[in-house]
Amino acid sequence: MTRFILRRLLIAIPTVILISVFVFLLQKLLPGDPVLALAGEERDPETLAFLREKYRLNDPLPMQYLYWAQAALQGDLGISLRTRQPVLELIGEKLPVTLQLAVMSLTVAVAIGAPMGVLAAVKKGTFWDWIANAVALSGLSIPNFWLGIMLILLVSVNLGWLPASGYRPLSEDFWQSIRTMLMPAFVLGTGLAAALMRHTRSAMLGVLRMDYVRTARAKGLSERRVILRHALRNALGPVVTVSALLFGELLAGAVLTEQIFTIPGFGKAIVDAVFNRDYAVVQGVVLVTALAFIAMNLLADVAQALLNPRLRDAP
Amino acid sequence: MNDPVSTGKQWGAQSAGALSRGAGGLSVEGLTVTLGAGGPAVIDAASFAVGPGETLCVVGESGCGKSLTALALMGLLPSPPMRRVAGRALFQGRDLFQLPPAEMRALRGDLIAMIFQEPMTALNPAFTIGDQIAEAARRGGLAPAAANARAREMLGRVGIPDPAARMAAFPHQLSGGMRQRAMIAMALVNDPALVIADEPTTALDVTIQAQVLDLMRALQRESGAALILITHDLGVVAEMASDVAVMYAGRVVEAGPAERVLRDPQHPYTLGLMASTPGLGPAGGRLAAIPGLVPAAEAMPPGCRFAPRCPFAEGACAAAPPPDVEIDGRRVACIRAPLETLAGRAA
Ligand SMILES: Nc1ncnc2c1ncn2[C@@H]1O[C@H](COP(=O)(O)OP(=O)(O)O)[C@@H](O)[C@H]1O
Ligand code: SF4
Ligand SMILES: [Mg+2]
């Protein structure tokens, strides 16, 4: 198992390098001159030349990349051009918020999507299957911003059950933090539940056809045990993979939903940064998001191996 | 309706009280399974019987309905599309087909067990074999620790070396033969009175086949269970069977004591199967496969289903299904029986 994980880590290295190159080039591809943005009001050619020299913008591109990568490896992702705040510090503020939203959203998605998928597969072609599909379809087709606004109107404005905004970090006010995130997590979670339901359903349908499910029945096990132990256990692989990928997606931030519920996460940070040409922040956030995505993939692989003994033994 | 008495036996009719747990013959009469409601009969009025301690081989080419027969007896038909529309299956004084689903489930894996053809796919890849066997034992009423001990004991009994270590093995870590032994251990863990084995050696190498058959014979001798052994190989029948039911296209075309049927087959299909089996074909003669194919469910010929492939066929064969006749202690469904071969030899 340790060897399996080590091998996966090794395989991930080229991907990480590739992504870092891309993130580095992002700054070169985005329109506008960072030096002009840095200098602010100052347009003095000497100052500009000084800045170029200071940030080694005259060096060949590969060298610039190496400087940048070296700094990044040491945790120096530059400073925000606007707020002068170190990017790493900014990420340290935003990441827990986004992480919390992602965990809560995925919990909602799994809690709704997985049981519905199992039910739809077991009751394939019946009323229940139809209902599950209809619910999934509506989850897919209702836009998040609309659902968010409707929820605010109903739950916050009319019923007054949950606050529509006023997020506080978990560490400062636990319940307020959870309460403000319930609605956005529901909005994001129901959207993802549809995808999860469909993957669970098709994975279960594939597994329910397997010989070992018939063997489990031939052993006289209860139908409940046949489905929840013998079938679901084997259908879990694809479901876990999809969940991990969805989680990665959630980490990239949910721009509209964060905006609607005024949640200070990655989604809002990256939009602000792009509009302000705050290159260092854009780079930092994209880099962290991409790394999180890779980590999620890795985690999915490991989970896969834990679930499937045959993979564990693979050389 | 076919009469199982003509095979010389009527098993399963005894009351449960009169029998020990280990005893339980099965008598099946007129089992009919259709593909969809009102569809073609993929099993057509099949009748056969097996007694305690005896082995009934159900033999026929692939696609003749052997597996469906086994699944129908287990109450595990894939339905839809399959529907059991008629028949009785007497076991310990009760008709299995009339049992409520919960009672049938209580029998499965306990008094009636099944061994499947492909141990690689029939065992769950996600659980260790020890886990899977112990699960069956717990289902039979044992506490977890006792179930584990019982599973270990069974692994030893089916000849798996170092059972304690093998408990933790996953199916893919065992060889095909060892997997099938584990499957057998799982089926026999609750000491069933009736074992249904669907081509248990077909997926194995020839030498392993012989070992597994030996094992099954030895275990059956110990337990006195009734065994229904499904095979497409008359060689296996010759080795194992006390009785044989030859199936063709969903019908039992010849049924009786194995030794008589093999010595002197009375149905042209049995004859054809023998002619294509090494060691059973005509002495010194060439092996000859039966020309043609088993008809698909949707394209069953009217009358005798073997007619399109039968060298003895005549006009009347296609008119109506041939009735069962009793010849020389076995039941045959052929209007030409007794065959001239027999008549010629007898003369
Ligand atoms: N699930 C199914 N759906 C439709 N037809 C089936 C199904 N299972 C079996 N059959 C058909 O029923 C017939 C008997 O199949 P089977 O019992 O598996 O034969 P055997 O075990 O003798 O090889 C075959 O024609 C097969 O194609
Ligand atoms: S009834 Fe006719 S076709 Fe059928 S097996 Fe007998 S001789 Fe052949
Ligand atoms: Mg079969």
Side-chain angles (χ1 to χ4, degrees):
Chain A
M1 197 64 205
T2 324
R3 275 190 49 215
F4 176 88
I5 296 175
L6 281 178
R7 206 174 52 240
R8 286 302 141 119
L9 278 173
L10 280 179
I11 292 172
I13 289 177
T15 322
V16 172
I17 293 177
L18 212 70
I19 285 174
S20 69
V21 169
F22 171 78
V23 167
F24 168 75
L25 288 177
L26 208 63
Q27 161 193 286
K28 306 287 164 193
L29 294 173
L30 284 176
D33 187 341
V35 171
L36 282 182
L38 251 179
E41 296 300 297
E42 196 71 62
R43 286 292 187 270
D44 174 25
E46 246 173 72
T47 313
L48 296 183
F50 169 76
L51 283 174
R52 271 184 224 289
E53 201 52 44
K54 181 180 174 199
Y55 290 105
R56 300 196 254 215
L57 293 176
N58 294 324
D59 288 12
L61 215 50
M63 289 311 288
Q64 288 189 36
Y65 167 75
L66 287 181
Y67 298 140
W68 175 80
Q70 192 187 6
L73 277 177
Q74 289 162 2
D76 176 8
L77 292 172
I79 57 169
S80 162
L81 297 181
R82 246 169 49 92
T83 62
R84 302 277 148 187
Q85 188 187 19
V87 171
L88 195 69
E89 195 183 299
L90 183 106
I91 288 172
E93 281 169 19
K94 306 287 182 191
L95 186 60
V97 181
T98 294
L99 218 54
Q100 184 191 347
L101 183 58
V103 168
M104 288 178 65
S105 305
L106 193 70
T107 306
V108 171
V110 171
I112 296 177
M116 256 180 26
V118 172
L119 184 76
V122 172
K123 306 269 180 199
K124 180 181 178 241
T126 69
F127 173 75
W128 290 109
D129 188 14
W130 186 84
I131 285 284
N133 273 297
V135 171
L137 195 66
S138 49
L140 276 179
S141 47
I142 296 176
N144 281 350
F145 75 87
W146 186 84
L147 182 60
I149 291 170
M150 287 301 134
L151 273 179
I152 289 180
L153 282 179
L154 181 71
V155 179
S156 298
V157 178
N158 281 334
L159 297 170
W161 286 350
L162 290 172
S165 62
Y167 173 80
R168 303 279 304 282
L170 265 179
S171 52
E172 284 175 23
D173 187 341
F174 184 82
W175 286 116
Q176 173 71 359
S177 185
I178 298 283
R179 275 158 51 83
T180 45
M181 276 224 187
L182 275 181
M183 281 196 289
F186 182 82
V187 167
L188 291 172
T190 48
L192 300 181
L196 210 60
M197 175 262 168
R198 292 182 163 217
H199 278 97
T200 308
R201 180 180 183 272
S202 75
M204 277 299 281
L205 281 179
V207 166
L208 285 171
R209 275 197 301 269
M210 292 293 173
D211 285 357
Y212 53 75
V213 170
R214 192 180 55 191
T215 306
R217 294 203 172 101
K219 279 159 87 172
L221 302 180
S222 67
E223 196 57 20
R224 193 187 146 88
R225 198 172 168 85
V226 170
I227 286 162
L228 293 185
R229 181 172 147 91
H230 285 263
L232 186 57
R233 174 61 193 270
N234 284 283
L236 230 43
V239 176
V240 166
T241 304
V242 173
S243 302
L245 295 183
L246 292 178
F247 193 74
E249 235 169 78
L250 283 167
L251 286 184
V255 179
L256 276 175
T257 308
E258 286 184 11
Q259 207 84 35
I260 290 171
F261 293 94
T262 53
I263 288 170
F266 269 4
K268 199 158 158 4
I270 202 163
V271 173
D272 290 348
V274 168
F275 280 131
N276 293 321
R277 305 247 155 98
D278 205 340
Y279 301 104
V281 175
V282 174
Q283 274 184 332
V285 172
V286 170
L287 187 65
V288 169
T289 307
L291 289 181
F293 222 97
I294 293 176
M296 281 303 121
N297 264 304
L298 202 74
L299 217 64
D301 280 350
V302 172
Q304 207 70 261
L306 285 175
L307 288 170
N308 186 343
R310 274 173 297 189
L311 281 183
R312 243 175 286 163
D313 286 355
Chain B
M1 176 139 311
N2 294 321
D3 180 6
V5 175
S6 63
T7 64
K9 295 195 189 69
Q10 169 81 60
W11 292 108
Q14 303 92 328
S15 80
L19 291 162
S20 74
R21 177 184 166 82
L26 176 78
S27 174
V28 177
E29 294 166 38
L31 170 61
T32 303
V33 173
T34 60
L35 180 56
V42 284
I43 312 287
D44 191 15
S47 300
F48 48 84
V50 61
E54 299 193 332
T55 300
L56 168 74
C57 277
V58 177
V59 66
E61 290 162 290
S62 178
C64 281
K66 307 182 298 293
S67 294
L68 286 180
T69 302
L71 292 174
L73 293 175
M74 292 295 290
L76 293 175
L77 272 181
S79 91
M82 298 298 167
R83 296 168 69 107
R84 198 192 63 242
V85 295
R88 293 204 297 163
L90 293 179
F91 174 78
Q92 297 196 344
R94 293 188 289 179
D95 181 357
L96 297 180
F97 296 156
Q98 297 304 321
L99 289 182
E103 278 182 46
M104 189 61 217
R105 180 166 79 73
L107 285 180
R108 275 202 293 271
D110 189 30
L111 278 175
I112 305 179
M114 182 150 178
I115 298 167
F116 292 96
Q117 173 170 352
E118 197 13 285
M120 186 66 227
T121 59
L123 289 168
N124 196 320
F127 304 116
T128 63
I129 58 165
D131 185 350
Q132 296 185 60
I133 299 171
E135 184 184 35
R138 283 200 305 279
R139 141 100 189 58
L142 288 182
N148 276 332
R150 173 81 177 143
R152 223 172 10 249
E153 179 204 329
M154 283 308 296
L155 283 180
R157 272 182 64 192
V158 297
I160 291 183
D162 197 359
R166 290 296 172 202
M167 287 285 285
F170 287 95
H172 74 274
Q173 293 168 327
L174 299 179
S175 68
M178 286 299 148
R179 273 198 291 268
Q180 193 57 293
R181 284 171 193 264
M183 183 78 183
I184 292 171
M186 190 166 84
L188 302 188
V189 74
N190 291 323
D191 201 11
L194 172 64
V195 178
I196 303 173
D198 187 0
E199 312 228 19
T201 60
T202 303
L204 307 177
D205 296 340
V206 181
T207 47
I208 311 291
Q209 273 190 26
Q211 290 172 12
V212 170
L213 288 178
D214 283 345
L215 171 70
M216 291 183 64
R217 206 171 16 218
L219 290 171
Q220 187 196 18
R221 234 193 323 267
E222 286 172 33
S223 70
L227 173 63
I228 296 180
L229 178 60
I230 291 172
T231 178
H232 64 267
D233 182 355
L234 271 182
V236 171
V237 180
E239 192 116 336
M240 302 286 290
S242 35
D243 294 273
V244 62
V246 182
M247 270 191 103
Y248 184 76
R251 287 188 184 144
V252 175
V253 293
E254 180 163 7
E259 171 264 324
R260 283 195 197 193
V261 171
L262 291 182
R263 176 168 42 81
D264 192 15
Q266 282 302 304
H267 194 282
Y269 182 59
T270 317
L271 208 60
L273 279 183
M274 287 190 64
S276 59
T277 307
L280 294 176
R286 290 180 293 116
L287 292 180
I290 308 169
L293 294 171
V294 179
E298 300 80 8
M300 289 298 180
C304 177
R305 290 181 171 179
F306 190 53
R309 303 172 71 187
C310 180
F312 298 85
E314 55 188 36
C317 295
D324 285 337
V325 291
E326 200 176 326
I327 298 165
D328 185 29
R330 93 288 300 264
R331 202 177 72 221
V332 185
C334 172
I335 56 172
R336 298 281 306 266
L339 296 175
E340 290 89 340
T341 51
L342 176 75
R345 236 177 294 149

